[in-house]
Amino acid sequence: MDGAAPNLVKLGEMHRSPLTPVFAGLQLGLHILVVALAGVVFLRAIVDETAAMPYIIALTVIFTAVYLFGVVKRLRGNAARWWLALLSLVWVVLMALSAEAAYLVFGLFFLYVHLLRRLWSLVAVVSATAVAVIGTGLHRGWSIAGAIGPMIGATVAVAIGLGYQALYREAAERGRLIDELMNTREELASTSRDAGKLAERERLAAEIHDTVAQGLSSIQMLLHAAERADPNSPAVRQISLAREAAADSLAETRQLIAELTPAALDGQSLSDALGRICERASSAHIEARAVVEGEPIALPMPLEATLVRIAQGAVANVLRHAHATRMAVTLTYSTDTVSLDIVDNGVGFDISVLDHGPAESFGLNAIRRRVQLQGGTFDIESEPGHTAVTVTFPLEIGDE
């Protein structure tokens, strides 16, 4: 229920772990204990044959029925509180009629400890102990044994209950960690598969661009030069048809390259792609803007694709982890380098996690691997209120 105490009736819903049979056994043991104690009260009422016997029997049956109803229905929240209050009320009335009803308080102790917050559970245990001691004294006379018995039962129940709570929390934490580990492993596997597919697509696009597309472009230019060199040649018609065929093939090749490039680059310049990434990231909680500095120049397609992927990964990291309100993606052109900076005003993090392996910071390590594959440099700085990821790539004059 509420607070730190686990809900006893939710025990079966916990993550399956080696400790689950232990909790199931404790749960079953408590149910058997309560029903057995109710049976003792029931039988003693029949044996004693007092004037209150019918009432004792009826209340014992009601107590057992109410208890089993709560167990079967797995009550929660206010319903569980009302169930426990009704169970306690029936027990108090039963205690007024029979001294043997004091046996049932031991089961109630466990319910108070498990279903109520710490303070209220202690108040309930002390109150139930007082009722059991007073009721036993009124029925059987006052004695030290009659007072010590319920007190020892309360102490044992509280101690066992607190131990159970600690064990439950440990098992719940272990289950959470296992679930998190499984989810992370699935995400890493999926990300790895997607990264492999994207890397292969980009590699194929780069190969086609650097070989087939460039070759067709050269053939087209040579044929065009041949046309202009001798426009009256008998072969000019065939040269013109060959040039047109090369142009058509080049157009189809470029279309194929476009289909293999990242979706964010499809039909756009690099600056437009970064702008679209920031536009998609912007929301009521964060302002994201793209900035271009320097004179834009044509970059090799694989480098543009890498910059887009890095921007996507870094922006996704900010959205998931940084809790930032502002973010800027800056593309800077210089004479011999191109740089991409992703800066946010989030909570920051300890950059030493990059040295702990990919499981600790998969996104940033993926960015670093992309940078290394393209021969660039990777730098990061982070503190509360400021995190900056910077990647820089050298440029070769004449790259297309």
Side-chain angles (χ1 to χ4, degrees), residues 10 55 81 92 143 150-151 162 182 225 237 244 248 324 354 364:
K10 293 172 64 179
Y55 303 104
R81 282 190 283 268
V92 170
S143 66
M151 292 180 183
L162 294 177
M182 295 297 292
R237 177 57 181 165
E244 292 174 1
D248 291 341
L354 290 171
L364 289 174

Side-chain angles (χ1 to χ4, degrees), residues 54-393:
Y55 303 104
I56 296 173
I57 292 176
L59 287 171
T60 303
V61 172
I62 293 173
F63 180 91
T64 305
V66 171
Y67 178 82
L68 294 177
F69 175 82
V71 171
V72 172
K73 292 296 184 179
R74 298 176 178 265
L75 301 177
R76 304 178 185 178
N78 289 330
R81 282 190 283 268
W82 283 110
W83 169 73
L84 185 57
L86 177 60
L87 200 64
S88 300
L89 178 62
V90 174
W91 171 75
V92 170
V93 176
L94 189 59
M95 190 73 228
L97 299 176
S98 171
E100 281 71 24
Y103 300 144
L104 295 173
V105 77
F106 193 67
L108 289 175
F109 287 154
F110 282 101
L111 295 179
Y112 294 145
V113 172
H114 287 295
L115 300 181
L116 300 178
R117 294 180 183 271
R118 181 67 55 83
L119 177 61
W120 288 110
S121 67
L122 294 178
V123 170
V125 168
V126 171
S127 301
T129 302
V131 171
V133 171
I134 294 172
T136 301
L138 292 176
H139 287 293
R140 296 180 176 173
W142 303 98
S143 66
I144 295 178
I148 291 178
M151 292 180 183
I152 293 177
T155 303
V156 171
V158 170
I160 294 176
L162 294 177
Y164 170 86
Q165 290 176 19
L167 190 62
Y168 184 96
R169 285 192 295 269
E170 178 66 23
E173 178 65 13
R174 178 180 296 183
R176 185 189 66 80
L177 291 175
I178 291 174
D179 288 339
E180 186 175 306
L181 179 61
M182 295 297 292
N183 291 335
T184 301
R185 188 168 68 176
E186 291 175 1
E187 290 176 3
L188 287 175
S190 176
T191 303
S192 179
R193 288 193 298 270
D194 292 342
K197 293 177 182 177
L198 291 173
E200 182 62 17
R201 285 166 61 93
E202 292 172 12
R203 187 190 67 79
L204 288 173
E207 292 291 338
I208 295 172
H209 174 272
D210 295 340
T211 57
V212 180
Q214 295 286 33
L216 288 171
S217 180
S218 299
I219 292 171
Q220 185 182 12
M221 288 188 294
L222 290 172
L223 291 173
H224 187 62
E227 275 186 303
R228 288 183 298 178
D230 188 3
N232 298 319
S233 171
V236 70
R237 177 57 181 165
Q238 287 75 14
I239 293 174
S240 177
L241 290 174
R243 180 179 58 78
E244 292 174 1
D248 291 341
S249 296
L250 180 60
E252 292 178 359
T253 302
R254 285 175 174 167
Q255 177 63 33
L256 177 61
I257 293 173
E259 292 174 357
L260 291 172
T261 54
L265 274 174
D266 187 18
Q268 301 183 81
S269 66
L270 177 57
S271 58
D272 290 337
L274 296 179
R276 188 166 72 172
I277 292 172
C278 291
E279 182 181 353
R280 289 177 175 177
S282 297
S283 66
H285 306 290
I286 184 170
E287 175 190 353
R289 59 191 180 93
V291 180
V292 178
E293 297 181 350
E295 185 66 26
I297 60 175
L299 299 177
M301 189 211 56
L303 180 54
E304 287 196 348
T306 297
L307 288 168
V308 170
R309 290 303 180 199
I310 289 173
Q312 289 174 325
V315 169
N317 273 348
V318 173
L319 296 179
R320 283 197 298 263
H321 307 298
H323 304 290
T325 58
R326 294 191 307 276
M327 170 175 53
V329 178
T330 304
L331 180 66
T332 304
Y333 293 94
S334 66
T335 56
D336 56 356
T337 63
V338 61
S339 300
L340 183 68
D341 298 270
I342 300 91
V343 181
D344 68 82
N345 67 341
V347 296
F349 66 98
D350 183 1
I351 62 176
S352 64
V353 298
L354 290 171
D355 301 323
H356 297 165
E360 295 290 334
S361 54
F362 183 83
L364 289 174
N365 276 289
I367 291 174
R368 182 161 60 177
R369 285 195 300 273
R370 288 183 184 277
V371 174
Q372 292 171 345
L373 288 173
Q374 290 293 330
T377 59
F378 172 86
D379 186 48
I380 185 169
E381 58 183 36
S382 182
E383 62 183 17
H386 175 78
T387 296
V389 175
T390 302
V391 298
T392 303
F393 298 95

